[in-house]
Amino acid sequence: MFERLLKHFKKDGRVFQAFQIEISTYCSLECQMCPRTFFSEQWIFKNMSMETFQKIGGYFPLTKWVYLQGWGEPLENENLIEMVRLAKRANCLTGFTDNGVNLTDDISRELLSEGIDLVVISMGGATKESHEMLRVGSDFGRILDNVKKLTELKKHLNINTPTVKLSQIMTKFNIGYLPGMIPLAIELGVDEVMVTNIDYLAGERCNFLRTFYHESPSPAFQDSIDEMHRLGKEMGMTVRSYPLKAEEVLVCEANPPQNVFFSVDGSVAPCIYLRIPKKGDIIRIFQNKEYHVPQTFFGNINDEDFLQIWNKESYKRFRKIFEERRKAEFNMAKALEAIDSMSFSKFKEQIDKRPPPFPDVCQTCYKAYGI
């Protein structure tokens, strides 16, 4: 039955936006905001096997993107190049996020040879001091050299891909130096700068370091972001930043109806924030309180067919909440478009249609609040 369903999906096109695959939970650094530093004794260190990856790969024709990112560094997995190759054979757009420590010349050449579409390098800051303060054990100069060699090789080969981005997490220690990312990015020859929040607060240190707020904004933080955008526009560098104010969104960025997360052990989960490679429950800080949330997944690709997992009633019920919230977003937009020809009572009826609340396990996740 599921083989026939797979054939049906293939006829209709790629029904998933992305498969996010955690191919490693290892990392050589001790980053101040990483959950691995908080849960070191409970952390599960593992590289995804090729056998597990190939089982996922059987469904690559259903997805537009294959993104190799989890709670570790993809370049820690020695099979990364072969994994990229398998995804590209299925005509998937393919990318990963990494700290750049292991981005050697040879690996860069192989990645370009395989046609990788996106490489995102995560940074701690635009200066050696800010970077190495947060990413303990990292060599700022080495990272810059690795990125520069990748972009130079891309230029030498006269190819447009991969898109190369720098990503920086905003903290109280580095947000004042954000504008410095623009000249650094131009010097390195990358295509875009992204600045993100610490969206998972694993402990009080993360809560202290965060720059986003609920009630009391810090104008100086927004000023720094605005200046970075101004410089980017002036110097021709694309800039993307996340909001500093936490406000509930209708559908979070993870978008479970269209995206799937495969954890390092083959578990199938709605997103990375509900399947953390540690023993026991997920521990998170939300609005200055600690919460314990159960690890949430619906099966394992090593034990069950993916489509069987996808069609479980429990998984469908979970996704339906997001689908209903998406409909509420659509209905609101539709009502606003038709306001001139709609009676007030009809308009109010549309506005008053409340979306269902997020699933319990999502209500204390900052991705549900646009962070």
Side-chain angles (χ1 to χ4, degrees):
M1 179 181 73
F2 293 107
E3 288 182 0
R4 293 199 301 272
L5 187 56
L6 177 59
K7 290 178 181 178
H8 173 72
F9 275 153
K10 286 180 178 177
K11 288 178 182 177
D12 287 351
R14 297 179 185 262
V15 295
F16 295 98
Q17 181 67 24
F19 282 0
Q20 183 177 352
I21 307 174
E22 179 179 59
I23 64 171
S24 181
T25 63
Y26 286 99
C27 179
S28 59
L29 307 183
E30 295 290 336
C31 297
Q32 294 284 333
M33 54 283 178
C34 180
R36 190 173 60 85
T37 64
F38 289 88
F39 310 127
S40 56
E41 294 184 3
Q42 296 86 35
W43 199 253
I44 298 170
F45 292 93
K46 187 179 179 69
N47 277 334
M48 179 176 281
S49 68
M50 278 303 300
E51 181 182 5
T52 297
F53 189 85
Q54 286 167 345
K55 288 179 179 178
I56 303 169
Y59 298 93
F60 284 170
L62 301 183
T63 186
K64 179 180 178 181
W65 272 95
V66 170
Y67 205 76
L68 309 177
Q69 181 191 16
W71 292 105
E73 301 302 316
L75 286 171
E76 294 284 346
N77 192 315
E78 63 181 4
N79 294 312
L80 171 70
I81 300 299
E82 178 61 22
M83 291 171 170
V84 171
R85 184 177 298 128
L86 287 176
K88 293 305 297 181
R89 282 178 186 167
N91 295 317
C92 297
L93 294 169
T94 308
F96 66 89
T97 298
D98 193 87
N99 61 23
V101 171
N102 297 315
L103 188 66
T104 64
D105 290 359
D106 288 343
I107 288 176
S108 289
R109 290 182 181 278
E110 289 187 89
L111 288 170
L112 268 60
S113 176
E114 296 300 334
I116 189 81
D117 296 282
L118 175 61
V119 175
V120 180
I121 302 299
S122 55
M123 306 286 293
T127 65
K128 177 180 175 66
E129 292 73 23
S130 60
H131 175 83
E132 295 182 2
M133 177 189 298
L134 291 172
R135 298 192 176 276
V136 179
S138 181
D139 183 331
F140 183 68
R142 176 182 173 185
I143 304 303
L144 299 190
D145 287 344
N146 290 346
V147 175
K148 183 68 172 176
K149 288 174 182 176
L150 172 64
T151 60
E152 287 180 342
L153 180 58
K154 174 184 165 183
K155 184 176 180 180
H156 174 73
L157 295 174
N158 194 28
I159 54 178
N160 295 323
T161 54
T163 299
V164 182
K165 302 182 182 183
L166 295 184
S167 176
Q168 179 183 322
I169 292 181
M170 295 180 286
T171 72
K172 286 184 171 71
F173 294 145
N174 66 20
I175 194 167
Y177 301 98
L178 287 185
M181 289 294 290
I182 304 305
L184 177 64
I186 290 173
E187 179 185 347
L188 295 178
V190 305
D191 302 291
E192 183 177 323
V193 170
M194 301 166 53
V195 289
T196 65
N197 289 295
I198 307 176
D199 49 27
Y200 170 50
L201 308 185
E204 281 300 332
R205 183 167 68 242
C206 291
N207 196 30
F208 169 77
L209 287 172
R210 68 176 169 87
T211 55
F212 67 85
Y213 63 93
H214 301 277
E215 301 294 342
S216 304
S218 298
F221 292 172
Q222 188 62 54
D223 289 346
S224 187
I225 294 174
D226 293 343
E227 176 62 12
M228 180 186 63
H229 278 277
R230 188 195 67 77
L231 270 180
K233 185 175 182 180
E234 179 182 293
M235 302 178 75
M237 174 57 59
T238 301
V239 177
R240 179 188 174 195
S241 62
Y242 281 69
L244 293 181
K245 182 172 175 54
E247 295 182 292
E248 184 176 331
V249 294
L250 282 170
V251 179
C252 65
E253 190 176 40
N255 192 11
Q258 291 186 289
N259 300 326
V260 182
F261 175 60
F262 296 89
S263 73
V264 72
D265 67 351
S267 299
V268 179
C271 75
I272 190 173
Y273 301 94
L274 289 176
R275 188 63 173 140
I276 293 177
K278 66 176 289 291
K279 298 173 184 176
D281 288 347
I282 296 166
I283 301 172
R284 58 168 73 134
I285 305 293
F286 179 75
Q287 291 192 335
N288 301 314
K289 295 181 181 179
E290 181 176 288
Y291 292 85
H292 290 237
V293 177
Q295 301 273 359
T296 303
F297 58 99
F298 296 94
N300 191 298
I301 193 73
N302 291 304
D303 304 321
E304 301 174 80
D305 179 273
F306 167 64
L307 293 178
Q308 185 177 14
I309 298 170
W310 179 256
N311 284 287
K312 285 183 178 180
E313 286 302 318
S314 56
Y315 202 173
K316 289 197 286 188
R317 284 196 302 270
F318 184 94
R319 298 195 305 269
K320 185 175 176 59
I321 293 173
F322 292 85
E323 292 163 357
E324 291 298 318
R325 291 179 67 87
R326 176 83 67 194
K327 287 179 184 177
E329 184 176 50
F330 173 78
N331 290 339
M332 176 71 76
K334 190 175 180 180
L336 291 172
E337 286 177 3
I339 190 170
D340 289 339
S341 59
M342 186 185 296
S343 67
F344 177 76
S345 60
K346 191 70 175 175
F347 176 75
K348 189 174 185 302
E349 179 184 331
Q350 291 289 333
I351 296 298
D352 287 344
K353 287 182 179 179
R354 302 294 182 191
F358 277 108
D360 290 346
V361 292
C362 301
Q363 290 179 17
T364 55
C365 175
Y366 276 114
K367 299 310 288 186
Y369 300 85
I371 298 300

